[in-house]
Amino acid sequence: LGSGAQLVDLTPDVRRRLAEGRYHEADELSKQMQGPWNESYQPMGNLHLRADRYSAAGDHFRKAAVLFARVGDPEHSVMADIGLADSLVALGDLDEAVRTYRSRATTHAFPVLQALVEESVALLDLVRGRYRDALVGLEGARRRYAELDMPQHLAIAEKQLADAYLELRLLPESLQGYEAALGRFRDLDMQIDR
């Protein structure tokens, strides 16, 4: 990572270049702030997560979130924190995962990320037996995906909602949800797991 003095001196220059549409220059300048290995934190977090190395994944996501925040990239910082929350789920620290998901969703107004967070927290609520909260959250995520015109996410959210209704033995609601999800999956030429 660049020195603290470089961070203070270069951050306004990076932001100015971004505002002027000089993206390549901003990217090159930001690399001076980040040091040679910064780009590896987010992908390495993903790799560790997929390899079931959850503590290492969390460490990489934490570093990525901090670095993205320092260079004024809140969207990627939020994505790194979502990766951290996913790592915490895998480690079984559900309370901290929920806090991490929620803190980032309320910090930034990225509708897609807010929908992903709402969906993730709802699924954790379902696992933790908080069924009312789970149904409200899954329905909210489903509604957001519809508003954002994200058909793949909408289809998956409808299936998850149907799964939740089935788990609660609310069979008419579950059947209706599965029919809606199946129709969307067919329209999108996607496979649905059974």
Side-chain angles (χ1 to χ4, degrees):
L1 186 62
S3 71
Q6 283 179 305
L7 288 175
V8 171
D9 293 339
L10 295 178
T11 300
D13 292 336
V14 171
R15 288 188 180 139
R16 187 180 78 249
R17 283 176 173 81
L18 287 170
E20 294 169 353
R22 296 163 49 195
Y23 303 111
H24 180 71
E25 291 177 31
D27 182 52
E28 290 303 312
L29 191 57
S30 71
K31 287 177 184 174
Q32 294 175 27
M33 296 166 52
Q34 300 167 4
W37 302 107
N38 176 62
E39 293 179 2
S40 68
Y41 289 128
Q42 182 90 17
M44 286 302 293
N46 289 329
L47 287 172
H48 282 294
L49 192 59
R50 288 187 179 98
D52 299 335
R53 296 185 200 119
Y54 307 121
S55 292
D59 292 342
H60 284 284
F61 287 127
R62 280 184 191 91
K63 290 174 185 173
V66 168
L67 290 171
F68 285 128
R70 282 186 183 164
V71 298
D73 187 344
E75 184 173 1
H76 284 97
S77 179
V78 171
M79 289 299 295
D81 275 339
I82 289 173
L84 170 60
D86 291 343
S87 300
L88 292 166
V89 168
L91 287 167
D93 193 348
L94 303 185
D95 291 334
E96 187 61 27
V98 168
R99 278 191 290 278
T100 301
Y101 282 130
R102 285 192 173 139
S103 71
R104 297 311 294 205
T106 57
T107 304
H108 298 286
F110 299 116
V112 171
L113 297 179
Q114 289 175 337
L116 288 170
V117 165
E118 188 169 16
E119 177 183 16
S120 297
V121 170
L123 291 171
L124 288 177
D125 285 337
L126 187 62
V127 168
R128 296 175 348 159
R130 298 177 180 170
Y131 300 115
R132 185 178 186 289
D133 292 340
L135 292 175
V136 168
L138 287 171
E139 179 55 38
R142 188 201 67 74
R143 196 171 33 257
R144 282 184 195 244
Y145 290 136
E147 291 167 2
L148 293 167
D149 193 28
M150 299 179 70
Q152 290 93 350
H153 286 277
L154 177 58
I156 292 166
E158 285 182 337
K159 184 198 175 291
Q160 290 171 333
L161 192 55
D163 289 344
Y165 283 130
L166 182 61
E167 187 170 327
L168 295 172
R169 305 209 189 292
L170 299 170
L171 300 181
E173 293 88 344
S174 180
L175 182 59
Q176 182 180 355
Y178 282 127
E179 288 172 348
L182 185 57
R184 289 196 192 280
F185 276 84
R186 281 188 187 134
D187 291 345
L188 296 167
D189 199 27
M190 293 173 57
Q191 290 189 350
I192 187 170
D193 63 328
R194 298 180 191 256

